Amino acid sequence: AQSVTQPDIHITVSEGASLELRCNYSYGATPYLFWYVQSPGQGLQLLLKYFSGDTLVQGIKGFEAEFKRSQSSFNLRKPSVHWSDAAEYFCAVGPHGSSNTGKLIFGQGTTLQVKP
Amino acid sequence: KAGVTQTPRYLIKTRGQQVTLSCSPISGHRSVSWYQQTPGQGLQFLFEYFSETQRNKGNFPGRFSGRQFSNSRSEMNVSTLELGDSALYLCASSLGARWENTEAFFGQGTRLTVV
């Protein structure tokens, strides 16, 4: 079955420190991969996405993610975290096929806390 | 351009009642998907509508239904509400094409509390 795992439920980093959020997926082929961010009481905002090609993708707000097929991973990184990055982050898979249009499978999310 | 609009933002209902939530997608988007977000189950896909047709459905009971109108606005309905239906319901709109050619834009959600 298709699934997404975010091993870290909660992460705390100091402002200015680097960040890596982990995401592993289970899927028969290379899926469409996404990272979303959700601030309290808000909807989800797309940070970046991967479909094919260069395995290092750049997103908004200084985030990047690297696709590693051998590890079935799509980890999100940021070199220097700002206090405004505190939020919940979701990794998602978009399955292929006409029967899966409009459908995203989400991980459980990682809550990021930023210490001053 | 205007984003995805969900109304109402908050709802409180009693067990056994029914509820209708509304979603207005971004202009030009023909696909609307609905998700339920709870602390225990996370974000789960409910269904997707495209050009007034349900194209895809998640694993939810028949009490959860939806529809889409000719202007792409969508509604979802939950009948015979249960306490476990308390959740944030998110709507997402997209062009409805393959994921490499589109992306999902989410509304702020409707917070439903069942008492």
Side-chain angles (χ1 to χ4, degrees), chain A residues 3-84:
Chain A
S3 65
V4 179
T5 301
Q6 293 180 244
D8 305 303
I9 296 173
H10 192 105
I11 281 184
T12 301
V13 299
S14 298
E15 191 169 15
S18 64
L19 170 71
E20 182 169 30
L21 302 182
R22 296 184 291 164
C23 172
N24 293 97
Y25 65 89
S26 173
Y27 192 73
T30 299
Y32 303 114
L33 293 161
F34 306 83
W35 274 100
Y36 282 86
V37 61
Q38 184 180 36
S39 298
Q42 301 296 313
L44 281 72
Q45 181 183 24
L46 181 67
L47 289 174
L48 47 77
K49 57 188 177 184
Y50 173 78
F51 302 129
S52 63
D54 192 347
T55 56
L56 185 64
V57 293
Q58 302 297 321
I60 62 172
K61 304 185 180 188
F63 285 94
E64 66 178 27
E66 185 173 13
F67 170 66
K68 292 186 178 180
R69 184 191 308 273
S70 61
Q71 299 176 20
S72 296
S73 69
F74 187 56
N75 294 348
L76 182 72
R77 301 195 294 245
K78 186 169 185 178
S80 177
V81 169
H82 186 262
W83 64 266
S84 61

